[in-house]
């Protein structure tokens, strides 16, 4: 609208469990189980691949043709990498959404903003734009969850996330 492109935002919770299909295939390839995150960017999806001895596969974000409410369509399944081949590399370079969920989000001054519940990212580029934090179910009911902008510096550590 009005000369600007539409930016589609997604959350991991909306993707988790979605079936994955190849554009030119009739059958389901697998289901999304996690996101691969590095440097505030979603680099890929971790998919529980169907088939004998297929296990978990990493789908690069570039391989995704479209993301819908009921499924994810890939251009082709070729660029997928078995997770066990790259597990050591991915664990040292990247974080998984499931690994950051529940970690505290802290400001640079050490003030706790809450616990990470979900992440927002731009569908086209995979760039993380926000984090949803919670202070617990009672606080979520009375005050609602907080959405924190992370377009500035975000550091994902072993025990916590730091935001400026």
């Amino acid at each position: 609208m009005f000369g600007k492109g539409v930016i589609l935002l997604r959350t991991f919770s909306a993707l988790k469990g979605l079936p994955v299909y190849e554009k030119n295939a009739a059958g389901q390839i697998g289901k999304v189980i996690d996101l691969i995150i590095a440097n505030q960017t979603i680099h890929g999806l971790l998919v529980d691949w169907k088939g004998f001895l297929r296990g978990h596969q990493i789908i690069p974000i570039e391989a995704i043709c479209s993301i819908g409410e009921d499924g994810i369509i890939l251009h082709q399944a070729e660029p997928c990498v078995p997770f066990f081949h790259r597990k050591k590399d991915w664990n040292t370079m990247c974080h998984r959404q499931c690994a950051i969920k529940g970690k505290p989000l802290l400001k640079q001054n050490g003030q706790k903003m809450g616990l990470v519940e979900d992440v927002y990212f731009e569908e086209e580029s995979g760039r993380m734009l926000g984090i949803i934090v919670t202070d617990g179910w009672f606080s979520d009911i009375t005050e609602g969850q907080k959405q924190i902008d992370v377009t500035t510096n975000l550091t994902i550590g072993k025990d916590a996330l730091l935001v400026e």
Side-chain angles (χ1 to χ4, degrees), residues 110-163:
Q111 179 185 357
K112 184 177 174 183
M113 301 175 76
L115 302 175
V116 175
E117 182 67 25
D118 209 342
V119 296
Y120 277 106
F121 64 96
E122 188 178 40
E123 182 179 309
E124 188 74 21
S125 68
R127 189 171 51 115
M128 275 179 58
L129 298 176
I131 293 179
I132 299 173
V133 295
T134 180
D135 286 326
W137 68 270
F138 184 75
S139 178
D140 289 350
I141 291 170
T142 57
E143 300 170 21
Q145 294 179 328
K146 297 177 228 158
Q147 297 178 13
I148 310 299
D149 175 22
V150 293
T151 53
T152 59
N153 287 340
L154 173 72
T155 304
I156 302 173
K158 181 180 176 187
D159 300 316
L161 285 75
L162 296 173
V163 67

Side-chain angles (χ1 to χ4, degrees), residues 14-156:
L15 298 183
K16 188 172 184 180
L18 278 182
V20 178
Y21 304 92
E22 187 175 358
K23 191 175 182 179
N24 299 322
Q28 178 182 329
I29 293 172
K31 289 189 177 198
V32 176
I33 56 174
D34 211 341
L35 295 177
I36 304 295
I37 304 169
N39 301 326
Q40 291 181 241
T41 304
I42 309 302
H43 286 274
L45 302 175
L46 185 60
V47 173
D48 188 14
W49 211 265
K50 290 176 96 175
F52 185 66
L53 296 176
R54 292 299 297 257
H56 298 343
Q57 302 274 326
I58 298 169
I59 297 174
I61 200 83
E62 303 83 32
I64 297 172
C65 179
S66 63
I67 300 173
E69 290 180 25
D70 300 316
I72 297 173
I73 308 297
L74 304 180
H75 292 292
Q76 57 184 5
E78 297 284 324
C80 300
V81 179
F83 187 60
F84 65 87
H85 287 299
R86 300 282 303 270
K87 191 171 186 177
K88 184 177 179 187
D89 295 338
W90 284 111
N91 284 343
T92 55
M93 302 172 28
C94 300
H95 299 273
R96 294 170 50 198
Q97 163 62 19
C98 290
I100 66 172
K101 184 175 180 176
K103 285 187 180 178
L105 178 66
L106 305 170
K107 289 183 181 179
Q108 292 291 338
N109 64 6
Q111 179 185 357
K112 184 177 174 183
M113 301 175 76
L115 302 175
V116 175
E117 182 67 25
D118 209 342
V119 296
Y120 277 106
F121 64 96
E122 188 178 40
E123 182 179 309
E124 188 74 21
S125 68
R127 189 171 51 115
M128 275 179 58
L129 298 176
I131 293 179
I132 299 173
V133 295
T134 180
D135 286 326
W137 68 270
F138 184 75
S139 178
D140 289 350
I141 291 170
T142 57
E143 300 170 21
Q145 294 179 328
K146 297 177 228 158
Q147 297 178 13
I148 310 299
D149 175 22
V150 293
T151 53
T152 59
N153 287 340
L154 173 72
T155 304
I156 302 173

